[in-house]
Each structure stands twice: as C-alpha cells, then as structure tokens.
C-alpha cells in the first residue's frame, strides 16, 4: 500500500521562513506563530496519514455505488467524514458567525494540501461544500446565509456546483436548463447537468446544489444565466428538513480516476430553487465558487505530485538494481539501490523541485487572498486574479507530469495496481480538465487577465521580480539564483511584448501562444519562489536556526530548479514568437 507522511516541516518553512506570516499586518496573521501552526498541521497530518490515506487505495478499487437512485460512498468514508466533522476541519477558515473557526485562508490551504494528498476523492466532498458555502456567503441574502451556512460549514449538509450540460461545457451561453418564476418568489428548475462532483452520496443529511439556469425572457447567451440554490431536501422555516425536492441522480459516471467521489448526472424535474444573487448575474456569483475551486484544483496538482513523489523516493532507496557507474555503493548487497543512478536522481529532483516550489507558490497565492479580503488590499486582489489561471493550469499540468515521473521510477511495478502509482496518475489527470480545462485557463490569462486594468497587475508582477533582484543583486551568495530569474523574467516580458505588437493585428498570434505563455509564467513564478526560499534558507543557516541539513537541501534543490527547470522559459518564448502560422496554416480537412 502506498505511504503518505504529512510534509509539515516544509509547510512550516514556507509559512514562517519565506512568507513570515506571523509578522504580517494582515488581520489574524499575528496569531499564526510557529507553535500554533505546528499544532494545527500536526493534527491535520495525523488525520491525513492515519485515517484518510489508508482509504485512498480501497476507495479507488471499490468506487461509489448506485442502485435504485441511491448513491453510496466506499467503505470507511462515512466514518472518516464523521472524524473530519468532529475536528471542525471543514470550517477552519469560514466565519465564526456560522460555526467556522475564521482562520486565514493560508492556513486552510496548508491543511487542505494534507487532506488532498492523502485522499483526493474524499477531500472533494467537503472541498466543494466550502466553495458552495463561499458563494452563498458572498451573494446570499441574510435569510439564505442563516438557513444554509451553519449546516454547510459543519458539513452536516454538503454542497455542489452545477454548470455543465450534455451539449455544453465551457460555452455556458448554450445552456438549456430553465428557471420558471413562481408566485411565492421561488423558481421551478428543470434541466440536466452532468459531471457533478459529489452530486449525491451518503455522507450528509442534505445536499445543497448551486445550479445555473436561464429565466425565460432573459438576455441571450451567458448574460441570461442566473444561479439558484436547489436543496436535495427542502428546508422548513424552523431549519428542519422537509420533502424531497424534484432533483435526482440519473447515473454516476465511470471514470479514469477519483473513483471514490461520486460524479453524477443530475436531473432537475420542476425542482424548487431560490435565486442566489441578482437575476441574469449568475456567472458573477458562480465565479466566486469557481475561482476558489481553481485554487483548490491547483492544490490537487501539487498534492498528487507530493504523494507520488514520497512513494517514488521510498522505492528508489529500497529497490536494488544495477551498480553505480562510479563504483558499488552497496558492496555487501547484490546490487545498489535505484537512487544511485543519475537518471533516477534527475526524475526525483524534477519532482522535488516542482513540489516544493509549487507549495510556496500556492501558499503565496493564499496569502494574497487573505490580504485582499482581510486588509481590503486591491493590489493583492488584482495580483491573485492574474495568477489564478497560472496556478490552476501550470500546477495541474506539471503535477500530472510529476506523478508520471514518479510512476516511471517504479518501472514495470509502477504499471501494476498493487503499488498504487497508477492511482496518483489517474487522480491527477482530472485536475487538468475540470474547473476550466487548462487551455481555457491559458486563454483567460492572455485574453483577459494580462489586459486587466490596463495591464496594471502584470506590470506590478514584473516590478516585484525586478525589486527582488535589485534588493539581493549585490549579495554574492544569491548571484546563482538572481541571474537565471532575471533571464526568465525577461523572457516573460518579451512574450508579453510580442502579444502587444502582433495580437492586435491577428488575435491568433496571441492565442496560439497562450498555453506556452501560461507555462512560461508558471516557471517564472516558481523561479521567484525558489529565489525567495534560497534567501530564507541562507538566512536560517547564517543565524544557526533549525535543521542545517534541511536548509542545505533547500539550496541544492533551488540550484537544480534554476539550472535544469527554469531554462524552459527560452523554449516557451521561442514557440510564442513563431506566431500562429505553424499552428493555423494546415487546412481543417488535412487533419
């Protein structure tokens, strides 16, 4: 069975050595000292390693059941969900007014990584509930908040998001689901939704669906879409559950991965729904949930890579195969462990440098969300808006690649289900698709986010990198990290300039390079994270703090990323500057 150990030391390093959260002026951060966050992460780590991880493989093998319209989760999930609820983990960063603990998002994100790495399918049940609750919190009436949020924050009730229909995915303007107004102010919801994660199950007493539908006579296309709260069971005035609503499960999907999460076809047959937010402004409300979900999916890419990497390292140290070319390193045994071989080291260093860099990037993003919301910082809000498609697209693409590399370390055994590596690959694959396929993330980045507020935030990003390089440019110990970061940042700026000079004449020049731009941007972000981590490690060593071997390993890994991974920016820039012609010239009928 695969192993999983919570990487609390690394989370603590990022939170305190790199982000220095307890010294921040953001409300609530002063309480997050090392002792406090260590206690939280230790407890979350125990739940992840001891309860959730052992159910990962069995949940994958058993999957969810569906019989006579009833959905059941794998054996052990209900008991684990109760443990999760008992610890109040689902509401760790939700408002106290509704039963949450009101911790900063950055701490909730750190905890979320542990749960997702241990068991992604399981974690999605309360993760989606968190997103639905956030949408109600941001756009609901006082009555809606009081009715739904206390039960959702505790996960006594769970939540979903319902966007996709059989004939339309990304193009939601083609939606056919209808919401007919009723005399009592409610709406009658009819239509079918597909690919609904955690759409139904046996873990909670009620499921609160957030459903996109069109009110008759509204504007055409996406401008006519509204968002509705549609509970599985209607809620009485006293908060107790009433009659079953007109919503049912038509089927559960047979999928490549995340078998322990019920992906449902949902049928709405005149179900009672309640408008969330303004009429015809459904996408505004839904994006509250989707943007949160995109960061959660970015976390899944990192989390699956971390879990797979841990197992690859263990196998590489244990499996005896061949001899080191420089001489036997296990002379008393029949062969040396795999980890002596340079190509195995290359694969493991790829994984290690991605996982640790991605963790810093994700927590930095979460810290910006806290700054935007708790300090009313518009600059932080704009920056995380710019970086959300980079986080989602780059971390899930690279996260999947790293699970494949981890599987490769096992050789033929990686292809055998007994070793569990296949599950990490299969579970990671969906993260590149849902919550907006990564090609759509790239289009959003180049088509919308770069030009947001006149390019204010991408220019602020360039200035941030420039300031970091200038601040540490005279530090000889930082030279090996600053020089490659400068080069990569220049590549990113050159790509942006190419879009400005050519995209207006022919938009395809920008869109054909959008995917490469997203990856180029992602590498620069990880380069910045590794430069910041290198500086933090040097400072800790100079002050004699903590475990010297841990900080030395950070510096070695930073050097690897700068020399072996960050140069990919040159390749991406070359592709971008080739323009649209190599992509678009071949006639459609020649494919």
């Amino acid at each position: 069975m695969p192993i999983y150990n919570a990487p609390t030391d690394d989370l603590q390093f990022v939170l305190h050595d790199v982000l220095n959260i307890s010294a921040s002026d953001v409300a609530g951060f002063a309480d997050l000292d090392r002792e406090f966050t260590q206690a939280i992460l230790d407890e979350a780590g125990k739940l992840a390693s001891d309860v959730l991880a052992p159910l990962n493989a069995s949940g994958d093998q058993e999957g969810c059941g569906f019989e006579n319209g009833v959905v059941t989760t794998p054996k052990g999930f209900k008991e684990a969900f109760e443990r999760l609820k008992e610890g109040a983990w689902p509401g760790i960063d939700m408002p106290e007014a509704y039963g949450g603990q009101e911790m900063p998002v950055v701490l909730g994100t750190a905890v979320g990584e542990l749960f997702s790495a241990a068991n992604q399918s399981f974690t999605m049940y309360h993760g989606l509930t968190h997103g639905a609750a956030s949408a109600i919190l941001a756009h609901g009436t006082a009555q809606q908040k009081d009715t739904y949020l206390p039960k959702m924050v505790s996960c006594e009730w769970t939540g979903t998001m319902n966007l996709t229909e059989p004939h339309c995915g990304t193009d939601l303007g083609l939606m056919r689901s209808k919401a007919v107004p009723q005399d009592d102010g409610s709406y009658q919801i009819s239509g079918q939704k597909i690919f609904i994660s955690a759409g139904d199950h046996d873990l909670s007493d009620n499921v609160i669906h957030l459903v996109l539908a069109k009110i008759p006579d509204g504007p055409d296309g996406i401008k006519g879409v509204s968002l509705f709260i549609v509970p599985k069971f209607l809620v009485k005035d006293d908060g107790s559950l009433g009659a079953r609503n007109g919503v049912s499960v038509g089927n559960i999907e047979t999928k490549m991965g995340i078998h322990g999460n019920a992906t449902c076809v949902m049928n709405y047959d005149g179900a009672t729904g309640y408008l969330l937010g303004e009429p015809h402004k459904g996408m505004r409300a839904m994006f509250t949930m989707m943007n949160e979900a995109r960061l959660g999916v970015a976390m899944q890419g990192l989390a699956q890579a971390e879990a797979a990497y841990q197992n690859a390292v263990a196998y590489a140290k244990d499996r005896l195969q061949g001899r080191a070319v420089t001489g036997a390193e296990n002379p008393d045994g029949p062969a040396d462990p795999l980890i002596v071989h340079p190509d195995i080291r290359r694969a493991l260093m790829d994984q290690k440098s991605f996982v640790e860099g991605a963790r810093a990037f994700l927590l930095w993003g979460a810290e910006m969300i806290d700054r935007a919301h708790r300090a009313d910082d518009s600059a932080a809000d704009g920056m995380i808006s710019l970086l959300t498609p980079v986080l989602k697209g780059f971390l899930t693409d690279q996260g999947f690649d790293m699970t494949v590399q981890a599987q490769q370390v096992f050789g033929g055994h990686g292809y055998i289900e007994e070793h569990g590596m296949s599950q990490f690959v299969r579970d990671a694959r969906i993260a590149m698709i849902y919550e907006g396929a990564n090609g759509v993330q790239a289009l959003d980045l180049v088509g919308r986010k770069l030009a947001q507020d006149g390019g204010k935030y991408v220019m602020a990003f360039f200035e941030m990198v420039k300031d970091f390089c200038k601040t540490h440019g005279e530090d000889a110990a930082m030279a090996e990290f600053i020089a490659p970061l400068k080069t990569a940042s220049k590549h990113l700026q050159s790509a942006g300039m190419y879009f400005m000079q050519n995209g207006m004449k022919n938009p395809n020049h920008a869109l054909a390079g959008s995917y490469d731009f997203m990856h180029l941007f992602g590498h620069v972000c990880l380069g910045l994270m590794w430069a910041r981590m290198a500086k933090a490690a040097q400072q800790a060593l100079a002050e004699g703090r903590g475990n010297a071997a841990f900080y030395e390993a950070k510096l070695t890994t930073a050097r690897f990323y700068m020399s072996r991974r960050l140069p990919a920016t040159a390749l991406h820039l070359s592709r971008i500057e080739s323009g649209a012609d190599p992509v678009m010239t071949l006639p459609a009928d020649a494919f």
Side-chain angles (χ1 to χ4, degrees):
M1 178 184 291
I3 60 167
Y4 176 68
N5 296 301
T8 54
D9 288 348
D10 203 50
L11 286 164
Q12 286 284 83
F13 169 72
V14 176
L15 291 173
H16 297 287
D17 293 80
V18 181
L19 298 179
N20 197 15
I21 56 172
S22 60
S24 171
D25 59 353
V26 175
F29 274 35
D31 298 327
L32 303 182
D33 59 36
R34 285 180 186 268
E35 185 177 354
F36 179 78
T37 58
Q38 187 71 59
I40 295 290
L41 294 174
D42 283 347
E43 287 304 310
K46 290 176 186 175
L47 182 62
S49 298
D50 299 344
V51 178
L52 304 188
L55 297 173
N56 197 37
S58 60
D60 177 64
Q61 292 158 11
E62 180 184 346
C64 293
F66 181 62
E67 187 173 354
N68 298 322
V70 177
V71 179
T72 53
T73 52
K75 183 180 179 180
F77 271 41
K78 289 178 71 172
E79 293 79 7
F81 205 68
E82 289 304 312
R83 290 280 298 274
L84 187 84
K85 288 159 58 179
E86 288 167 8
W89 294 108
I92 186 172
D93 54 7
M94 295 300 281
E96 287 182 357
Y98 301 106
Q101 300 181 57
E102 210 155 333
M103 301 288 183
V105 170
V106 70
L107 184 59
T109 301
V111 168
E113 184 206 322
L114 304 182
F115 294 159
S116 189
N119 194 324
Q120 179 173 320
S121 293
F122 175 91
T123 302
M124 289 171 65
Y125 289 102
H126 69 270
L128 286 157
T129 305
H130 189 290
S134 294
I136 294 173
L137 181 65
H139 302 282
T141 65
Q143 182 181 9
Q144 288 172 338
K145 294 175 188 178
D146 290 342
T147 298
Y148 299 105
L149 289 182
K151 298 289 182 70
M152 295 178 74
V153 167
S154 68
C155 269
E156 186 176 337
W157 298 349
T158 55
T160 72
M161 57 192 297
N162 286 234
L163 291 80
T164 307
E165 299 185 4
H167 59 282
C168 71
T170 301
D171 190 355
L172 294 172
L174 299 175
M175 189 177 300
R176 294 174 185 162
S177 294
K178 297 296 183 186
V180 179
Q182 304 298 296
D183 292 340
D184 63 358
S186 67
Y187 290 77
Q188 193 176 74
I189 312 297
S190 299
Q192 186 179 76
K193 300 290 184 177
I194 63 170
F195 304 155
I196 309 307
S197 299
D200 201 42
H201 49 79
D202 55 1
L203 302 180
S204 65
D205 296 334
N206 203 3
V207 182
I208 310 304
H209 303 288
L210 298 192
V211 183
L212 287 177
K214 289 185 175 181
I215 301 172
D217 302 323
D220 292 333
I222 197 68
K223 293 182 179 180
V225 172
S226 302
L227 185 61
F228 300 88
I229 298 172
V230 186
K232 175 180 176 180
F233 290 97
L234 296 173
V235 182
K236 297 179 182 179
D237 291 342
D238 63 0
S240 63
L241 297 183
R244 176 70 185 256
N245 206 354
V247 53
S248 61
V249 178
N251 197 11
I252 60 173
E253 303 290 357
T254 301
K255 311 184 297 291
M256 176 179 176
I258 54 169
H259 294 159
N261 194 271
T263 303
C264 300
V265 175
M266 303 300 301
N267 295 322
Y268 294 88
D269 301 305
T272 298
Y274 308 95
L275 183 68
L276 179 61
E278 300 177 46
H280 318 308
K281 303 292 185 183
M283 290 310 298
R284 178 189 301 173
M286 183 58 85
F287 265 108
T288 298
M289 186 172 182
M290 287 185 67
N291 284 333
E292 177 180 314
R294 285 171 178 172
L295 293 174
V297 172
M299 179 176 67
Q300 291 178 345
L302 154 65
Q304 294 307 298
E306 166 69 36
Y309 165 69
Q310 288 189 19
N311 286 274
V313 169
Y315 189 79
K317 289 180 177 179
D318 182 67
R319 176 74 167 176
L320 302 182
Q321 290 283 285
R323 291 291 188 189
V325 293
T326 52
E329 295 195 19
N330 179 35
D332 295 331
D336 289 333
L338 279 172
I339 201 165
V340 306
H341 303 299
D343 193 59
I344 296 295
R345 288 291 187 98
R346 186 266 317 158
L348 294 176
M349 287 300 292
D350 276 351
Q351 295 164 59
K352 181 177 174 65
S353 64
F354 166 74
V355 164
E356 295 177 14
R359 178 174 294 122
F361 185 19
L362 184 71
L363 291 176
W364 177 46
E367 187 265 347
M368 280 189 273
I369 294 173
D370 281 321
R371 186 170 291 280
H373 294 167
R374 289 171 171 253
D376 198 24
D377 188 330
S378 60
D381 192 47
M383 185 63 73
I384 191 57
S385 177
L386 169 70
L387 294 179
T388 292
V390 183
L391 280 157
K392 195 280 183 184
F394 184 70
L395 264 57
T396 59
D397 276 352
Q398 292 286 303
F400 173 75
D401 287 348
M402 296 308 153
T403 63
V404 173
Q405 288 220 46
Q407 183 186 38
Q408 190 75 9
V409 169
F410 280 71
H413 291 288
Y415 203 66
I416 304 301
E417 292 293 340
E418 174 189 348
H419 291 272
M421 300 308 290
S422 165
Q423 184 184 354
F424 297 127
V425 173
R426 290 184 285 103
D427 285 356
R429 184 64 182 89
I430 185 57
M432 302 161 70
I433 299 173
Y434 57 18
E435 305 307 339
N438 286 354
V440 175
Q441 301 299 322
L443 296 179
D444 177 48
L445 174 64
V446 170
R448 294 178 62 246
K449 298 300 176 63
L450 288 186
Q452 186 175 341
D453 288 351
K456 175 180 178 179
Y457 301 111
V458 72
M459 295 305 297
F461 178 84
F462 291 140
E463 198 63 28
M464 183 191 308
V465 176
K466 180 180 176 182
D467 287 348
F468 181 89
C469 293
K470 184 177 180 180
T471 299
H472 302 289
E474 302 301 317
D475 184 349
M478 285 294 291
E480 61 184 322
F481 309 110
I482 296 298
L485 178 58
K486 278 184 178 179
T487 299
S489 182
K490 288 177 182 177
H491 289 161
L492 185 62
Q493 293 177 62
S494 295
M497 186 63 66
Y498 176 84
F499 291 155
M500 289 178 60
Q501 293 173 345
N502 297 276
M504 294 297 290
K505 304 172 195 173
N506 180 359
N508 281 339
H509 285 309
L511 300 185
S514 61
Y515 211 91
D516 280 285
F517 186 82
M518 180 177 72
H519 276 255
L520 201 169
F521 209 150
H523 276 296
V524 174
C525 288
L526 259 66
L528 176 61
M529 293 299 99
W530 272 113
R532 291 179 65 179
M533 288 191 285
K535 181 60 184 176
Q538 289 175 352
Q539 188 171 341
L541 287 168
E543 295 172 0
R545 289 190 284 107
N547 182 349
F550 175 90
Y551 294 117
E552 291 288 359
K554 279 291 173 195
L555 291 170
T556 300
T557 310
R559 294 184 187 104
F560 176 88
Y561 196 89
M562 294 300 187
S563 61
R564 295 290 297 242
R565 303 288 296 170
L566 194 55
T569 58
L571 170 64
H572 291 302
L573 176 61
S574 180
R575 289 172 172 170
I576 289 166
E577 292 181 338
S578 72
D581 289 348
V583 176
M584 301 300 294
T585 300
L586 190 68
D589 59 6
F591 281 88

